[in-house]
Amino acid sequence: MHGLYPFYLAASRWVLPALAVLVALFWVAYFRAARPPKRVIARFADSQGASYPVTVAEGFVGRGRRCDVALPDETVQKAHAVFYQKNGGWWIASRRGDVTVNDVPADGPVPLMDGDMLTLGRTALTFVCNDPEQEDISSFTPPTGALLLVLLTLFQAVMGGQLCLRYWTELPLMLPVCFGALIAGEWLYFLVGRWIPHFHMLMEIPVLYLTTLGLAVCACASPENLYKQLICALLGMAGYIGFTLLLRKESWCYALRFVVAGITLAVLLFTALFGTRIFGARNWLSIAGFSLQPSEFAKIAFVFVGACGLYVTTQKRLNRWFFLAFAAAVMGSLVLMVDFGAVAIFFVALVIILLMRLTDVRLVGALVAAAVVAGVLVTVLYPYVASRFGAWLHVWEVADAAGYQQTRTLIAAASGGLLGVGGGNGYLSGIAAAETDLVFGVVSEEWGGLIALGAALCFVALGVLARRLAENTRSAFYAIGVCAAAGMMLFQAALNLFGSTDLLPLTGVTMMFVSRGGTSLMAAFWLMAYFKAAEARPHGLETERRRYY
């Protein structure tokens, strides 16, 4: 059987990239075909005959271009007022400007009825609710996603077969079990999902592609941890389903935000004070022989608290300041852990969340300026961070010192070419932290540049999908959650990819789903619940009544 390996390797080096390209092309076609209908659920009409359709269940009205209802009136504030649905009806509340409803000043949230007259600045509007119009922008019936899953399954089977033949004489049982369990699990998920209304496999295909690469990397670089990786993948899938169900209950999430924030801060502070230091950062906890990285789960909680606190568009300022205080405490705990890569990821999520709520740009600008000052202080106080920045864009000059990891990654990626040298046949996997910090180089060397490019494009695809979901979801809660989650994933992937190839300083962060690490894998799956929750209940469908305003 082992004599078959050279022939199988020669063929699979061409077949795998071809399947990866087909998966990418069919995913794009699926994405375009599955465009959701845009439902007009209300309207604002002015005295000049202009009509402003409402396609969201809560949003802003003002002269700002990012407002859901943008008015061409200089006397109107950029984010003048907010409108939203509550208990089956519509409400409006002033945010930064005066609002009158039927010539009565709106001092607080005021209910809106069909035909009500509103005045904002010099603009008079008539509110029309229960508009039956529905504009379907889908050009043809979307496919089920079965063909995409078939192609992905072939990709996984060919990759798993290559690894089994490569390690035939010492074949660990967990290797075929891992690939078999992944394939069985995804098909079970798909078949059950066929019974769920509005179910799509848009988000799942990129995630499963990345997870497959992660199992392949672990099988070659750290086979003794393969069973842990599989268990964490299964726990991640189960947690993802459960967390999605929770996120669909907005009122439950809103009630839990303080509990989640308190537990998150307590665990992070405990880790900062008593955690285990690995590779310079005290960000690990050892419990009953298992090592956990709480900062990975804190990403989920960070998005959760931000979405819960800021999506309530009646703008209770306490919610905003609570979230800012929580964000400062989280990032302060990460600084105590000396985990500056994680601090950067959380800061990006903070900026995304604040900007999505039309927060004053001056506040965001002040936060960015403070972050730049803090970054300079870090390079002064921590010499090893300064050495990484010093080697940035000059790694070949210090190839055997500060630039050792990046130069070896670049050499390995070049030696892999477009098709790769085959799983387990590279040399980069023998370098420290190859299966975590340098994982993009490992994939490039062993599986080829085309498959590695496909991994990078998976994160881009998730970002594009997040934008679509945010534009069509029924609540700002889901829009904030999916955009913040996607922003975290994209930025972290960029730090890993560009850091290992010397386009950015090496920060030591992992690539979600691909890098070895059980905590990271579980947290990454749970983070995807924000995508599925936003997809599951688009606006225009029957919505849950909110009782917490």
Side-chain angles (χ1 to χ4, degrees), residues 61-64 67 71 73-81 95-98 120-121:
V61 56
R63 77 169 191 272
C67 287
L71 302 175
D73 183 351
E74 291 300 321
T75 64
V76 174
Q77 299 295 322
K78 287 186 176 180
H80 197 100
R95 187 170 185 263
R96 292 181 178 174
D98 294 332
L120 297 82

Side-chain angles (χ1 to χ4, degrees), residues 58-60 82-86 93 95 109 250-251 253-255 257 305-320 357 475-478 480 546-549:
E58 53 187 292
F60 290 89
V82 292
F83 59 88
Y84 55 92
Q85 285 184 320
K86 183 180 77 170
R95 187 170 185 263
E250 292 177 60
S251 56
C253 295
Y254 192 77
R257 70 193 191 283
V305 174
C308 288
L310 297 186
Y311 91 100
V312 181
T313 49
T314 47
Q315 289 297 309
K316 297 177 181 178
R317 292 188 178 274
L318 180 61
N319 286 329
R320 181 195 300 178
R357 288 288 79 194
S475 167
F477 172 75
Y478 300 111
I480 294 171
R546 287 176 246 155
R547 302 179 175 86
Y548 42 79
Y549 284 98

Side-chain angles (χ1 to χ4, degrees), residues 15 37 51 61 89 97 113 126 138 205 219 245 256-257 260 266 290 301 310 372 434 438 449 545:
V15 172
S51 180
V61 56
M113 305 298 291
T126 302
S138 301
I205 296 298
L245 296 176
L256 289 171
R257 70 193 191 283
V260 172
F290 293 93
L310 297 186
V372 171
L438 312 178
R545 294 185 176 183

Side-chain angles (χ1 to χ4, degrees), residues 88-329:
W90 285 94
W91 296 70
I92 192 167
S94 171
R95 187 170 185 263
R96 292 181 178 174
D98 294 332
V99 178
T100 63
V101 180
N102 297 325
D103 297 325
V104 178
D107 297 327
V110 175
L112 283 178
M113 305 298 291
D114 186 40
D116 279 351
M117 303 295 296
L118 294 83
T119 304
L120 297 82
R122 290 196 298 263
T123 301
L125 298 172
T126 302
F127 179 71
V128 181
C129 64
N130 298 325
D131 194 325
E133 177 184 346
Q134 180 177 352
E135 175 192 0
D136 189 352
I137 60 175
S138 301
S139 57
F140 52 90
T141 304
T144 63
L147 180 58
L148 252 178
L149 195 56
V150 168
L151 290 173
L152 180 64
T153 301
L154 289 174
F155 177 84
Q156 295 166 331
V158 173
M159 180 172 284
Q162 184 188 118
L163 290 174
C164 287
L165 289 176
R166 166 66 175 80
Y167 296 103
W168 182 257
T169 56
E170 52 196 80
L171 179 64
L173 180 61
M174 280 306 300
L175 203 161
V177 167
C178 280
F179 279 86
L182 181 62
I183 292 173
E186 66 196 24
W187 275 100
L188 177 62
Y189 174 85
F190 172 76
L191 293 174
V192 173
R194 293 290 302 275
W195 294 90
I196 301 175
H198 312 288
F199 177 83
H200 296 295
M201 287 286 286
L202 278 169
M203 173 271 295
E204 290 85 347
I205 296 298
V207 167
L208 292 170
Y209 179 92
L210 294 169
T211 304
T212 303
L213 295 181
L215 289 178
V217 169
C218 186
C220 299
S222 185
E224 67 279 5
N225 291 307
L226 191 56
Y227 75 97
K228 292 182 181 179
Q229 198 78 354
L230 174 62
I231 292 174
C232 290
L234 297 177
L235 290 175
M237 292 178 184
Y240 147 77
I241 295 172
F243 192 41
T244 299
L245 296 176
L246 171 63
L247 289 176
R248 293 181 64 178
K249 300 292 185 180
E250 292 177 60
S251 56
W252 293 11
C253 295
Y254 192 77
L256 289 171
R257 70 193 191 283
F258 292 120
V259 176
V260 172
I263 294 175
T264 301
L265 288 178
V267 174
L268 288 179
L269 286 173
F270 183 84
T271 306
L273 297 175
F274 306 106
T276 303
R277 188 180 298 274
I278 299 178
F279 296 123
R282 192 193 298 273
N283 56 358
W284 290 86
L285 283 180
S286 296
I287 302 175
F290 293 93
S291 294
L292 300 174
Q293 197 171 358
S295 60
E296 294 294 334
F297 294 110
K299 295 173 184 174
I300 305 163
F302 191 87
V303 175
F304 183 90
V305 174
C308 288
L310 297 186
Y311 91 100
V312 181
T313 49
T314 47
Q315 289 297 309
K316 297 177 181 178
R317 292 188 178 274
L318 180 61
N319 286 329
R320 181 195 300 178
W321 290 112
F322 169 73
F323 174 61
L324 288 174
F326 172 72

Side-chain angles (χ1 to χ4, degrees), residues 361-375:
V361 176
R362 291 173 295 181
L363 171 61
V364 178
L367 291 174
V368 172
V372 171
V373 173

Side-chain angles (χ1 to χ4, degrees), residues 42-56:
R43 284 185 181 276
F44 290 95
D46 65 16
S47 57
Q48 305 300 318
S51 180
Y52 304 93
V54 174
T55 60
V56 293

